[in-house]
Amino acid sequence: MTQTFTVSSAVELAVVERSGFVESRHSGSAIVLDPEGVVLESLGDVDSPILPRSSLKPLQALGCVTAGAALDGERLALATASHSGTDRHVAVVRDILDAARLDESALQCPPAWPGDAPTRDDLVRRGEGPSRVRMNCSGKHAAMLLACTAAGWDPASYLDPAHPLQAHIREVVERLTGARVSATAVDGCGAPVYGMSLTALVRALHRIGTASERSPFALHRSAGTLVRAVRENPWTIDGPGRPDTIAIERLGVFAKGGAEGVTVMVAPDGTTTALKVLDGSGRAATAIALALLEKHGALAAADVAATMAQLPLPVLGGGREVGAIRPTV
């Protein structure tokens, strides 16, 4: 078993307050880089491996593009997304599958209900159930299938870690992080996910978030295009009223949350943070990332406060607000 960071190496990142009483504490690790990639702050253990979960998607999307998947605009942003399964999201996923000349049966992510409650309710009223195309990783899977058909690789085994596509994605991951992956695991959607330190993850996201579409290097040009696609289409990356979409819409950041309390965020000036909440809860993750970027001058305090007010941070008692989830970094 790969050794990961421990409780003793974690620091407090956020608290949950109810009626002035600290009811819960979220501990973990975090790291912040300045626009030039120099470490500004390191909290807890940032060198032991974590699984980045869906925060790895920007790197996986770039792997698909560099393998030959023709993606831009909404389609490229959707390939990076953990979307909420609205009809609008599904239409783009189907468009990617059409480009690959495949249908939804080629997707190997598990069937799921959409995360968007109104969409889920509408499906129930129509007598429909969970489907693969509604699963929040279906955009990534569709992009992987498009890369396979573009490169002439077998789409039937695209999730095998030894598949040429996954080998290529791993190579791209190691190029962007500047480190060898420490472990290979199976993500919730069935795709390979790679163990790496928060330091490696934040360096990869800094490279992506500060890349230029005019770079002489193809990978960096693709990264610049990906960041622009997400910032121009924030609805794709998450969904209406959801944390990543809110942060991108209001602040122009590049944000990608992952399961088990992982989040990465790049401010418009290139300041970048990555964090892992040790208990796996993501409820405070976006707020922690915003607080860290504000702390280091990358985001204005008033703008962050206005954005925080849109996030699901209030603690309720008897149907009214009696407290809040609050970053302590």
Side-chain angles (χ1 to χ4, degrees):
M1 180 179 294
T2 302
Q3 179 63 43
T4 58
F5 69 96
T6 62
V7 173
S8 61
S9 66
V11 300
E12 183 181 277
L13 301 176
V15 297
V16 181
E17 291 182 344
R18 177 181 298 276
S19 303
F21 182 88
V22 176
E23 185 174 24
S24 300
R25 300 180 189 274
H26 291 302
S27 299
S29 298
I31 185 170
V32 184
L33 303 185
D34 74 6
E36 302 304 316
V38 177
V39 176
L40 287 170
E41 184 174 13
S42 178
L43 299 168
D45 181 358
V46 297
D47 296 319
S48 294
I50 65 157
L51 294 176
R53 303 298 297 273
S54 284
S55 292
L56 189 66
K57 282 178 178 172
L59 287 70
Q60 292 168 311
L62 288 173
C64 292
V65 169
T66 56
L71 295 165
D72 59 11
E74 294 178 350
R75 298 197 309 170
L76 181 53
L78 219 293
T80 316
S82 297
H83 65 78
S84 57
T86 67
D87 291 347
R88 191 179 183 190
H89 289 113
V90 166
V92 180
V93 176
R94 287 174 173 153
D95 184 47
I96 298 171
L97 290 171
D98 286 346
R101 298 184 179 180
L102 296 169
D103 60 29
E104 296 172 32
S105 66
L107 294 170
Q108 293 180 27
C109 52
W113 289 103
D116 181 70
T119 303
R120 184 170 62 251
D121 292 346
D122 189 50
L123 290 180
V124 172
R125 284 190 292 268
R126 299 201 311 248
E128 298 181 30
S131 63
R132 297 181 192 279
V133 76
R134 298 280 178 183
M135 199 266 173
N136 69 350
C137 299
S138 63
K140 176 180 76 175
H141 283 250
M144 288 179 174
L145 288 166
L146 180 57
C148 287
T149 58
W153 296 325
D154 176 21
S157 57
Y158 75 97
L159 294 185
D160 186 335
H163 189 281
L165 172 65
Q166 300 303 338
H168 174 74
I169 289 174
R170 178 172 176 149
E171 179 185 344
V172 169
V173 167
E174 291 182 336
R175 286 175 61 190
L176 287 167
T177 60
R180 294 285 187 183
V181 301
S182 60
T184 301
V186 181
D187 211 336
C189 67
V193 62
Y194 301 114
M196 63 188 65
S197 68
L198 275 177
T199 300
L201 180 62
V202 79
R203 293 203 183 283
L205 266 295
H206 179 267
R207 289 180 176 123
I208 292 171
T210 59
S212 170
E213 293 183 82
R214 297 184 298 277
S215 170
F217 303 105
L219 178 58
H220 288 200
R221 290 196 301 272
S222 295
T225 301
L226 182 149
V227 171
R228 177 168 58 84
V230 170
R231 284 178 169 150
E232 290 179 353
N233 301 280
W235 65 271
T236 58
I237 202 74
D238 203 347
R242 293 165 71 94
D244 280 349
T245 292
I246 290 170
I248 297 165
E249 285 177 339
R250 296 190 65 96
L251 297 168
V253 298
F254 179 79
K256 187 70 203 75
E260 297 299 320
V262 182
T263 283
V264 294
M265 192 176 291
V266 186
D269 73 348
T271 305
T272 305
T273 187
L275 64 95
K276 161 72 176 177
V277 180
L278 183 59
D279 63 16
S281 173
R283 62 180 173 175
T286 299
I288 296 165
L290 292 174
L292 286 168
L293 293 179
E294 176 194 338
K295 177 181 179 180
H296 292 284
L299 298 174
D303 294 337
V304 170
T307 303
M308 294 274 204
Q310 301 299 311
L311 297 175
L313 300 176
V315 172
L316 303 181
R320 62 186 179 86
E321 187 172 333
V322 298
I325 301 167
R326 178 174 59 82
T328 56
V329 291

